[in-house]
Amino acid sequence: MTLFWFILLIVFIIIVILGSLLFRQVRWRKHYETEMNRMERMAQEIRPTARIEENLAAVLRILSSMHEAPNYAAYVLDKRSQRYILKATLHPFDKFSNTGPSYSGLAVDSREKYLPPMVLEADATRASVQVIYEGEVPLLSMQTEGKLVLFRIGPVYRVAKPIRMEMRKFLHQYSKLIEDVVALETARLQQEIASLGEDAVKKVARLSTDESSALELIVQSFTGFSGYCGGAFFRAAENEEQAVIAVGALRGLRSRLKQDQELQDMLKTWIEGRPYCFIGRQSQEFYQLPGYLTVSDVGAVLIVQIPQQGILLICFGADLDNKNALRPNESQIQLLVDQMVQISSFSSLHRRLGRSYSYMLWNLSNMVDDFNPYTVGYSEMMARYSLVVGKRMGMTEEELRDLALAAHLSNIGVIGLNMELLSKEGVFNDAEYESIKLHVQIGASMILIASGNERAAQYVLYHHERIDGLGFPEGLKGEDIPLGARIIHVIQVFLAKINGRAWRTPLSFEKALETLQQAAGTQLDGRVVNAFVDWWKERAQMPEVNNRTLAPCYELCCTPKHICQACPVYQSAAPRCWEVGNHLCKAHGRECKTCFVRTEFLYRNKEFVH
């Protein structure tokens, strides 16, 4: 009998142990499934590209599945003020829940009086998961391990210990993920704000330097943007510089407007003897306007005489109701005229100053070149050879003018850097390379501020971009890089190869061209490279250069006059400069043996030894 009870006890103990193990296994499996579901949910809902509010709202939804409460709030630490700022809220019991910091959707159940505050002091928070009191309202407060994000849940009157432990575990597992996502988005927002600030500064700079930007602002302000389509300002005959300025929808018609003398004469006839003239579709004069204007959805035009300056044409869209068309009064017209006169006078003054500033930068660039024998004539070579390619690429006269300016000043930004860095021999380290890259932004800003020439500034800013998108400062690719910048890049690479340094022997002319062709399609624009190479080939086939250099060496090297005048080559008619004794090649960093003037001649005459 005793044996029976003993066996029964043993069986009971085994059953209890097996039951306990089974219960633990079931509990572990449930916990495992819960964790896996939570991880999957975090992976699905937390997105690095989403806004801070969206990601924090997703975390609040996960927390709401762990403990039920009327309100959930997420705060982010503002490190400057050392305060937590409300970024996201969740109200599961509301008909309409809100995930942003706006109070427009924070109405809670009528039984609850608690609303999350917009700001919390950082020193009033604690790192652990625990119940705190805000007044008489109990709240569950929890913080990420880096104290960047704070969560508050409530009101809560009792939180079981297992739930607190689960929340601690959740924070321990996902604190870094949450903080990294918040930090990434914060950095992105700061970059956007900085970019907006930079764009705003550029816009203001354009208003003060670019007459077309100022004109567009004046016209838009005058019309109140109501039906405004575009505008054009025809300068008086005695002022031919920028004879026509076109803005809005007429910007692309500037060349046609400038050449259309019949239109200009017609506008003068219509406006003669009166301050302004309004012409709508109901007027016969409207149908005398050129077709390229009327087919551009223009429904009415306002012509205004600007005394001693020119004629202003303002166009309105075809959807403008003619019965309620703009009927400006005398005071509005006079205000418009006064503003145009002031802008025109200021712009004329600024253009004169801009030319002076550009001339100053031009000479400053030459001065920097001339102080180093290895860069003598560099900026002038950049401008001349860039113009050669620009003409072959079909650039307009205005584009060529801006290209020459940008090419000559392509390295002007280096004067804002450490001069010791510029004179360093050998390869830059990473920090030095990042510093030297800044010269494009500095140079572009100098040109924009000094002359207001945005196109030239763009050429300088992007002349180190690569066709494959691996350049700087913005990683532009292919045709997204302005043509002028692509031309400058090719010429700069060529000059870098044919010009030596104290520690580096220059490449021969042939090797320099091979380098360009090898980089075509990756670093350099292949079409620009071909245009430059073809120009050299065409020059080489000219009969007058047989058995002599392509041009005098001081022209090919753009050597300053003050050096040339003291050199015997300058006074000599010798066909090959290296045959003249007592020359001053070393004064501008060259030696006859490696000078590209000589290596080009040898290559052309098949005497170059590989």
Side-chain angles (χ1 to χ4, degrees):
M1 194 68 177
T2 304
L3 181 61
F4 170 77
W5 287 108
F6 178 75
I7 293 173
L8 187 61
L9 178 61
I10 295 298
V11 172
F12 177 76
I13 292 173
I14 293 173
I15 292 173
V16 170
I17 293 173
L18 291 175
S20 177
L21 291 174
L22 181 61
F23 176 77
R24 289 188 178 184
Q25 185 176 12
V26 171
R27 185 177 176 183
W28 179 85
R29 181 174 296 174
K30 183 179 179 180
H31 175 75
Y32 174 78
E33 290 176 353
T34 301
E35 286 296 321
M36 291 301 296
N37 290 336
R38 191 171 295 152
M39 289 178 62
E40 184 178 357
R41 191 172 177 184
M42 286 287 288
Q44 291 175 346
E45 298 202 28
I46 303 296
R47 304 188 309 277
T49 56
R51 296 165 54 240
I52 291 177
E53 294 81 2
E54 295 173 354
N55 281 324
L56 291 180
V59 176
L60 293 180
R61 288 193 292 270
I62 294 173
L63 291 176
S64 69
S65 67
M66 299 167 64
H67 184 75
E68 192 176 273
N71 299 287
Y72 299 80
Y75 296 80
V76 173
L77 178 66
D78 177 21
K79 296 182 178 179
R80 187 179 61 177
S81 65
Q82 285 301 300
R83 291 182 175 183
Y84 283 98
I85 310 299
L86 182 64
K87 289 294 184 181
T89 59
L90 178 67
H91 312 289
F93 302 148
D94 287 348
K95 183 178 180 180
F96 302 101
S97 60
N98 180 40
T99 59
S102 171
Y103 273 103
S104 60
L106 289 181
V108 296
D109 190 281
S110 58
R111 296 169 296 177
E112 281 299 341
K113 304 299 182 184
Y114 175 73
L115 292 177
M118 292 292 293
V119 179
L120 293 173
E121 295 293 338
D123 56 7
T125 62
R126 298 180 181 178
S128 60
V129 177
Q130 61 180 331
V131 175
I132 64 171
Y133 283 84
E134 188 172 302
E136 297 182 356
V137 181
L139 302 169
L140 183 64
S141 176
M142 46 195 297
Q143 212 172 28
T144 55
E145 293 180 350
K147 299 185 179 182
L148 180 61
V149 182
L150 171 70
F151 299 101
R152 282 196 169 183
I153 302 172
V156 294
Y157 297 97
R158 182 178 179 276
V159 183
K161 185 176 179 180
I163 293 178
R164 291 192 192 185
M165 293 178 63
E166 186 178 5
M167 287 186 168
R168 287 193 183 97
K169 187 175 181 180
F170 173 81
L171 283 180
H172 178 72
Q173 290 177 332
Y174 299 109
S175 275
K176 190 174 189 311
L177 172 63
I178 295 171
E179 292 190 342
D180 285 349
V181 169
V182 169
L184 179 65
E185 174 65 6
T186 301
R188 187 185 67 79
L189 288 174
Q190 290 174 344
Q191 185 176 6
E192 284 186 0
I193 292 171
S195 179
L196 286 173
E198 184 178 350
D199 290 343
V201 171
K202 288 181 179 179
K203 184 175 181 180
V204 172
R206 280 196 297 271
L207 288 175
S208 62
T209 58
D210 180 16
E211 193 170 1
S212 63
S213 297
L215 173 62
E216 185 149 29
L217 179 62
I218 290 174
V219 174
Q220 288 177 340
S221 300
F222 172 73
T223 62
F225 301 90
S226 175
Y228 165 69
C229 178
F233 180 52
F234 300 86
R235 292 185 184 278
E238 61 268 19
N239 189 351
E240 291 297 326
E241 185 178 5
Q242 283 192 305
V244 177
I245 301 173
V247 297
L250 303 188
R251 191 184 300 274
L253 300 175
R254 179 180 177 276
S255 297
R256 298 187 69 173
L257 291 169
K258 185 177 180 179
Q259 298 170 3
D260 195 340
Q261 189 60 47
E262 182 180 351
L263 170 64
Q264 296 180 40
D265 293 339
M266 188 162 51
L267 294 178
K268 292 177 183 177
T269 301
W270 288 347
I271 198 68
E272 187 175 3
R274 44 183 172 171
Y276 67 92
C277 175
F278 183 85
I279 300 175
R281 286 185 178 272
Q282 72 278 14
S283 303
Q284 293 182 356
E285 291 91 342
F286 180 84
Y287 299 97
Q288 298 178 34
L289 292 169
Y292 63 82
L293 273 183
T294 55
V295 298
S296 301
D297 293 329
V298 174
V301 297
L302 175 67
I303 309 166
V304 183
Q305 178 76 51
I306 311 298
Q308 300 176 340
Q309 298 290 338
I311 297 175
L312 175 63
L313 174 69
I314 301 177
C315 299
F316 298 89
D319 56 348
L320 186 70
D321 183 1
N322 287 329
K323 294 181 180 179
N324 299 314
L326 175 68
R327 301 298 180 189
N329 57 47
E330 295 294 336
S331 61
Q332 289 175 316
I333 291 292
Q334 189 58 49
L335 179 61
L336 175 64
V337 170
D338 291 344
Q339 292 296 323
M340 284 298 302
V341 169
Q342 290 182 26
I343 287 296
S344 294
S345 300
F346 176 80
S347 297
S348 177
L349 174 61
H350 192 277
R351 281 194 297 273
R352 292 197 297 270
L353 292 175
R355 285 192 292 268
S356 298
Y357 292 146
S358 297
Y359 182 71
M360 179 192 70
L361 291 178
W362 191 284
N363 285 331
L364 189 60
S365 178
N366 288 337
M367 179 193 72
V368 173
D369 291 346
D370 293 350
F371 278 152
N372 186 333
Y374 295 98
T375 59
V376 168
Y378 174 83
S379 296
E380 191 64 29
M381 291 177 76
M382 283 294 308
R384 291 190 189 181
Y385 290 125
S386 293
L387 278 176
V388 165
V389 179
K391 290 178 181 178
R392 296 181 71 90
M393 300 294 290
M395 297 181 80
T396 66
E397 289 185 12
E398 290 184 354
E399 290 171 335
L400 289 171
R401 178 200 64 198
D402 295 340
L403 175 62
L405 176 64
H408 196 283
L409 302 180
S410 57
N411 281 344
I412 191 66
V414 301
I415 67 175
L417 301 175
N418 188 331
M419 297 305 289
E420 293 182 0
L421 186 63
L422 301 179
S423 60
K424 177 182 176 179
E425 298 185 3
V427 180
F428 294 123
N429 60 37
D430 290 344
E432 291 169 338
Y433 179 62
E434 291 302 317
S435 296
I436 205 73
K437 282 162 58 174
L438 293 174
H439 81 278
V440 295
Q441 285 116 319
I442 297 172
S445 297
M446 292 173 69
I447 292 173
L448 188 61
I449 293 172
S451 67
N453 192 324
E454 189 168 358
R455 182 160 50 202
Q458 293 284 305
Y459 290 167
V460 171
L461 180 63
Y462 297 124
H463 78 273
H464 277 292
E465 298 286 4
R466 293 169 51 111
I467 294 298
D468 56 13
L470 299 179
F472 63 88
E474 296 182 12
L476 299 184
K477 189 175 183 179
E479 297 292 325
D480 291 338
I481 307 169
L483 175 59
R486 284 178 269 152
I487 292 173
I488 293 174
H489 195 173
V490 169
I491 304 304
Q492 215 170 60
V493 170
F494 175 73
L495 296 187
K497 300 305 178 184
I498 64 169
N499 290 328
R501 291 293 186 269
W503 66 92
R504 174 171 57 81
T505 302
L507 294 182
S508 67
F509 175 81
E510 179 189 21
K511 292 295 183 182
L513 291 187
E514 287 179 1
T515 300
L516 295 184
Q517 293 168 324
Q518 290 168 0
T522 53
Q523 179 183 359
L524 305 175
D525 185 335
R527 293 189 305 118
V528 176
V529 170
N530 290 338
F532 187 51
V533 172
D534 289 345
W535 178 77
W536 284 106
K537 290 180 178 179
E538 290 177 10
R539 293 274 299 179
Q541 293 172 359
M542 295 169 60
E544 57 267 31
V545 299
N546 287 337
N547 204 33
R548 64 177 302 124
T549 59
L550 284 181
C553 60
Y554 45 84
E555 290 185 7
L556 289 174
C557 298
C558 301
T559 309
K561 191 174 182 179
H562 68 272
I563 294 178
C564 295
Q565 288 179 330
C567 182
V569 175
Y570 190 68
Q571 309 295 336
S572 172
R576 294 171 293 279
C577 55
W578 56 90
E579 296 176 353
V580 178
N582 301 318
H583 53 71
L584 301 179
C585 292
K586 289 188 177 181
H588 51 97
R590 299 185 185 278
E591 294 184 6
C592 291
K593 182 179 179 181
T594 57
C595 178
F596 87 99
V597 177
R598 181 171 182 267
T599 58
E600 186 281 329
F601 172 85
L602 295 176
Y603 171 63
R604 178 163 36 98
N605 288 275
K606 309 301 179 182
E607 295 178 12
F608 187 83
V609 180
H610 295 272

